[in-house]
């Protein structure tokens, strides 16, 4: 029996709905493969926890999570709690505390889902965005002085280290090397940000020498948005800073049809700590409780988690099931359908149990 312990943190908004759907699908995979078992423990951390206790998670949160094989995360953010409190109180402490320095965001157009790009079909847009996840613009360095006065100052310091840039660049080159096209695009803003971003460019060139079989190019981040929309077939694997990749991956999700189908893995490549897997759609309080949240991103996120755990066959089966369901037109409203979260989940479960998936 191959057993895995999973820490589930549904958190806010539609998070509990999609994580519950994800747990249902994992149970179906376990039933289909009699030698696979998931022991899922739920943690009630998030904005409701904050309103009761004044913190998003307890002080010993990381030590409690450390024993798990992986973390399955829903979404964080609430209308009545400032965003910097929710983000810095839960998600970022986990990412930074467990040195999950590679944020990996695959994007492709799934069967049955229409991209807003003209003449763009499944297969035309198939990217993986690698986001540096430990430093850069989200380092948390800076401060405010002279609050409330005309001369008030706020600084946000982006921190780029040779260690941090080199390791994410190597991760991105290795990932590009593993994909059929063996092609990487490095994204910076080195024309205007002439210190940290120029260092990014220089380190990219250095690391490229270690991967002679990988072709690479580089783009300024503003030009990259144009390339993504006008020439999506020219891209494959992409690496960028914490902020730039955060923005570009939301654009990528939208170009693939909806953020509701976009997954993420926060990876510790050295496997010293558990990695964390989450859909990127956010808490979406406008549809929370309505039963129409798209669970596909959460299922795709589960497939990433399965790959990380070494369960490639189960991951592939899950994605085949998801693509069969979307291809059959069983879609939630965000991608033009009328199905509920439950409808999609039940259809994916049925597909998992089909003899030819």
């Amino acid at each position: 029996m191959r057993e895995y312990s999973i820490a589930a943190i549904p958190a806010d908004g539609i998070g509990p709905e999609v994580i519950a759907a994800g747990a249902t699908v994992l149970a179906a995979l376990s039933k289909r493969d009699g030698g696979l078992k998931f022991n899922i423990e739920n943690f009630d951390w998030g904005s409701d926890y904050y309103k009761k206790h004044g913190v998003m998670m307890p002080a010993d949160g990381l030590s409690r999570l450390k024993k798990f094989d992986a973390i399955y995360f829903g979404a964080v953010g609430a209308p009545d709690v400032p965003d910097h409190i929710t983000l810095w109180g839960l998600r970022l402490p986990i990412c930074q505390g467990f040195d999950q320095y590679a944020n990996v965001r695959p994007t492709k157009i799934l069967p049955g889902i229409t991209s807003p790009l003209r003449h763009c079909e499944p297969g035309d847009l198939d990217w993986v965005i690698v986001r540096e996840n430990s430093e850069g613009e989200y380092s948390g360095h800076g401060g405010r002085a002279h609050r409330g006065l005309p001369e008030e100052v706020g600084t946000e310091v982006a921190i780029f280290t040779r260690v941090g840039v080199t390791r994410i660049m190597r991760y991105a080159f290795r990932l590009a090397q593993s994909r059929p096209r063996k092609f990487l695009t490095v994204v910076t803003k080195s024309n205007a940000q002439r210190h940290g971003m120029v260092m990014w460019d220089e380190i990219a060139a250095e690391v490229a020498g270690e991967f002679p079989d990988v072709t690479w190019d580089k783009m300024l981040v503003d030009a990259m948005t144009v390339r993504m929309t006008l020439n999506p077939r020219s891209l494959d694997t992409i690496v960028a800073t914490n902020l730039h990749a955060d923005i570009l991956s939301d654009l990528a999700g939208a170009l693939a049809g909806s953020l509701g189908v976009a997954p993420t893995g926060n990876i510790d490549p050295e496997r010293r700590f558990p990695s964390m897997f989450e859909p990127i759609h956010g808490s979406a309080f406008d549809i929370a409780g309505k039963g129409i949240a798209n669970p596909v991103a959460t299922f795709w996120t589960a497939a990433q988690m399965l790959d990380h755990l070494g369960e490639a066959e189960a991951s592939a089966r899950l994605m085949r099931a998801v693509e069969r369901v979307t291809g059959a037109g069983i879609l939630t409203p965000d991608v033009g359908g009328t199905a509920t979260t439950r409808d999609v989940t039940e259809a994916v479960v049925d597909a998992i149990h089909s003899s030819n998936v």
Side-chain angles (χ1 to χ4, degrees), residues 26 80 119 132 165 186 196 202 207-208 221 235 246 275 299 316 318-319 350 355:
L26 288 173
D80 53 353
H119 315 303
E132 200 292 314
V165 178
V186 177
E202 292 172 354
V207 174
V221 65
L235 295 164
D246 190 8
S275 293
F299 299 158
L318 174 52
M319 288 308 296
D350 288 344
S355 58

Side-chain angles (χ1 to χ4, degrees), residues 169-186 204-205 207-217 236-239:
M169 209 62 71
R170 284 200 178 109
Y171 185 93
F173 269 96
R174 285 193 196 100
L175 182 58
Q177 189 179 50
S178 72
R179 288 168 59 82
R181 291 177 63 184
K182 299 186 187 300
F183 179 63
L184 176 68
T185 298
V186 177
V207 174
E210 303 172 17
F211 299 87
D213 57 333
V214 176
T215 303
W216 73 288
D217 64 5
D236 187 77
T237 310
I238 300 158
V239 63

Side-chain angles (χ1 to χ4, degrees), residues 296-329:
V296 167
T298 310
F299 299 158
W300 195 347
T301 292
Q304 280 189 281
M305 180 168 67
L306 290 166
D307 275 328
H308 184 74
L309 294 173
E311 296 293 341
E313 185 177 339
S315 173
R317 177 174 290 128
L318 174 52
M319 288 308 296
R320 288 195 299 269
V322 167
E323 293 188 9
R324 173 181 290 191
V325 169
T326 60

Side-chain angles (χ1 to χ4, degrees), residues 252-277:
L255 295 178
S258 170
L259 291 186
V261 300
T264 303
N266 299 286
I267 310 295
D268 165 28
E270 281 73 43
R271 298 177 182 267
R272 299 155 296 171
F273 307 103
S275 293
M276 180 166 68
F277 301 85

Side-chain angles (χ1 to χ4, degrees), residues 17-34:
E17 299 170 56
V18 295
I19 290 298
T24 299
V25 164
L26 288 173
L29 287 168
S30 180
K31 186 175 181 180
R32 171 74 190 264
D33 180 342

Side-chain angles (χ1 to χ4, degrees), residues 126-189:
D126 185 0
W127 307 331
V128 179
I129 297 178
V130 177
R131 168 186 173 187
E132 200 292 314
N133 208 34
S134 66
E135 52 180 42
E137 304 89 346
Y138 295 175
S139 299
H141 285 261
R144 291 171 66 182
H146 313 300
R147 287 176 181 256
L149 297 175
E151 64 270 25
E152 182 173 358
V153 175
T155 60
E156 202 73 52
V157 182
I159 305 293
F160 301 102
T161 67
R162 175 163 284 275
V163 167
V165 178
T166 301
R167 67 183 186 177
I168 199 63
M169 209 62 71
R170 284 200 178 109
Y171 185 93
F173 269 96
R174 285 193 196 100
L175 182 58
Q177 189 179 50
S178 72
R179 288 168 59 82
R181 291 177 63 184
K182 299 186 187 300
F183 179 63
L184 176 68
T185 298
V186 177
V187 180
T188 66
K189 186 60 179 169

Side-chain angles (χ1 to χ4, degrees), residues 339-356:
T340 64
T341 309
R342 183 174 180 178
D343 292 337
V344 175
T345 303
E346 290 179 348
V348 170
V349 167
D350 288 344
I352 287 170
H353 290 303
S354 298
S355 58
N356 57 349

